[in-house]
Short mmCIF file of all heavy atoms in Angstrom, two decimals:
data_model
loop_
_atom_site.label_atom_id
_atom_site.label_comp_id
_atom_site.label_asym_id
_atom_site.label_seq_id
_atom_site.Cartn_x
_atom_site.Cartn_y
_atom_site.Cartn_z
N LEU A 100 -0.51 -11.07 16.10
CA LEU A 100 -1.42 -12.12 16.28
C LEU A 100 -2.75 -11.85 15.69
O LEU A 100 -3.23 -10.58 15.84
CB LEU A 100 -1.68 -12.44 17.81
CG LEU A 100 -2.38 -13.73 18.23
CD1 LEU A 100 -1.50 -14.93 18.02
CD2 LEU A 100 -2.88 -13.61 19.61
N ARG A 103 -8.70 -12.89 17.71
CA ARG A 103 -9.60 -14.05 17.74
C ARG A 103 -10.82 -13.72 18.56
O ARG A 103 -10.77 -12.96 19.51
CB ARG A 103 -8.83 -15.16 18.49
CG ARG A 103 -7.75 -15.74 17.67
CD ARG A 103 -6.73 -16.30 18.65
NE ARG A 103 -5.80 -17.29 17.99
CZ ARG A 103 -4.78 -16.95 17.31
NH1 ARG A 103 -4.57 -15.74 16.81
NH2 ARG A 103 -3.99 -17.94 16.77
N GLU A 105 -12.60 -15.17 20.78
CA GLU A 105 -12.56 -15.53 22.27
C GLU A 105 -11.87 -14.40 23.02
O GLU A 105 -12.07 -14.25 24.28
CB GLU A 105 -11.84 -16.83 22.61
CG GLU A 105 -10.45 -17.04 22.10
CD GLU A 105 -10.33 -17.73 20.68
OE1 GLU A 105 -11.20 -17.57 19.89
OE2 GLU A 105 -9.22 -18.32 20.51
N ASN A 191 -3.05 -10.23 26.50
CA ASN A 191 -3.26 -11.62 25.83
C ASN A 191 -1.86 -12.04 25.50
O ASN A 191 -1.33 -11.86 24.29
CB ASN A 191 -4.14 -11.45 24.63
CG ASN A 191 -4.20 -12.85 23.96
OD1 ASN A 191 -3.91 -13.87 24.50
ND2 ASN A 191 -4.70 -12.88 22.65
N PRO A 192 -1.02 -12.56 26.39
CA PRO A 192 0.38 -12.99 26.20
C PRO A 192 0.49 -14.23 25.45
O PRO A 192 -0.42 -14.98 25.30
CB PRO A 192 0.91 -13.06 27.56
CG PRO A 192 -0.17 -13.62 28.37
CD PRO A 192 -1.46 -13.02 27.72
N PRO A 193 1.78 -14.61 24.96
CA PRO A 193 1.91 -15.96 24.34
C PRO A 193 1.65 -16.96 25.50
O PRO A 193 2.31 -16.88 26.54
CB PRO A 193 3.34 -15.94 23.97
CG PRO A 193 4.03 -14.81 24.71
CD PRO A 193 2.93 -13.81 24.92
N TYR A 194 0.86 -17.93 25.32
CA TYR A 194 0.57 -18.98 26.31
C TYR A 194 0.53 -20.34 25.85
O TYR A 194 0.16 -21.27 26.53
CB TYR A 194 -0.66 -18.59 27.19
CG TYR A 194 -1.94 -18.48 26.26
CD1 TYR A 194 -2.55 -19.60 25.70
CD2 TYR A 194 -2.55 -17.21 26.16
CE1 TYR A 194 -3.83 -19.49 24.98
CE2 TYR A 194 -3.82 -17.12 25.58
CZ TYR A 194 -4.40 -18.19 24.93
OH TYR A 194 -5.64 -18.09 24.33
N ILE A 195 0.93 -20.59 24.59
CA ILE A 195 1.05 -21.96 24.17
C ILE A 195 2.40 -22.48 24.48
O ILE A 195 3.38 -21.92 24.35
CB ILE A 195 0.82 -22.06 22.53
CG1 ILE A 195 -0.56 -21.40 22.22
CG2 ILE A 195 0.97 -23.45 22.07
CD1 ILE A 195 -0.73 -21.20 20.68
N LEU A 207 -1.61 -20.96 12.10
CA LEU A 207 -0.82 -20.30 13.19
C LEU A 207 0.73 -20.27 12.71
O LEU A 207 1.46 -19.54 13.31
CB LEU A 207 -0.88 -21.06 14.45
CG LEU A 207 -2.13 -20.58 15.31
CD1 LEU A 207 -3.47 -21.25 14.71
CD2 LEU A 207 -2.01 -20.85 16.81
N ALA A 214 4.41 -14.29 19.55
CA ALA A 214 2.99 -13.96 20.13
C ALA A 214 2.33 -15.22 20.59
O ALA A 214 1.29 -15.05 21.19
CB ALA A 214 2.25 -13.20 19.01
N LEU A 215 2.77 -16.36 20.19
CA LEU A 215 2.16 -17.60 20.53
C LEU A 215 2.70 -18.41 21.64
O LEU A 215 1.93 -18.89 22.51
CB LEU A 215 2.10 -18.50 19.24
CG LEU A 215 1.36 -17.93 17.95
CD1 LEU A 215 1.71 -18.88 16.83
CD2 LEU A 215 -0.13 -18.02 18.22
N GLU A 245 -5.90 -12.86 29.29
CA GLU A 245 -6.37 -14.12 28.65
C GLU A 245 -5.48 -15.27 28.88
O GLU A 245 -4.25 -15.06 29.17
CB GLU A 245 -6.32 -13.84 27.07
CG GLU A 245 -6.93 -15.05 26.29
CD GLU A 245 -7.20 -14.84 24.85
OE1 GLU A 245 -7.67 -13.69 24.51
OE2 GLU A 245 -7.05 -15.83 24.09
N ARG A 277 -11.10 -18.71 30.03
CA ARG A 277 -10.43 -17.87 28.96
C ARG A 277 -9.75 -16.61 29.56
O ARG A 277 -8.87 -16.08 29.04
CB ARG A 277 -11.49 -17.38 28.02
CG ARG A 277 -10.92 -16.65 26.68
CD ARG A 277 -9.87 -17.51 26.04
NE ARG A 277 -10.33 -18.64 25.43
CZ ARG A 277 -9.64 -19.64 24.98
NH1 ARG A 277 -8.20 -19.55 25.00
NH2 ARG A 277 -10.13 -20.76 24.38
N1 LIG B 1 -5.52 -18.20 21.58
C1 LIG B 1 -4.30 -18.50 20.72
C2 LIG B 1 -4.56 -19.93 20.17
O1 LIG B 1 -4.70 -20.78 20.91
C3 LIG B 1 -3.17 -18.27 21.36
C4 LIG B 1 -2.75 -16.89 21.50
C5 LIG B 1 -1.93 -16.67 22.64
O2 LIG B 1 -0.93 -17.42 22.90
N2 LIG B 1 -2.16 -15.60 23.28
O3 LIG B 1 -4.43 -20.02 18.98
#
Side-chain angles (χ1 to χ4, degrees):
L100 192 76
R103 290 155 164 68
E105 58 268 27
N191 175 19
Y194 56 69
I195 300 171
L207 278 78
L215 295 168
E245 179 169 327
R277 188 56 65 191

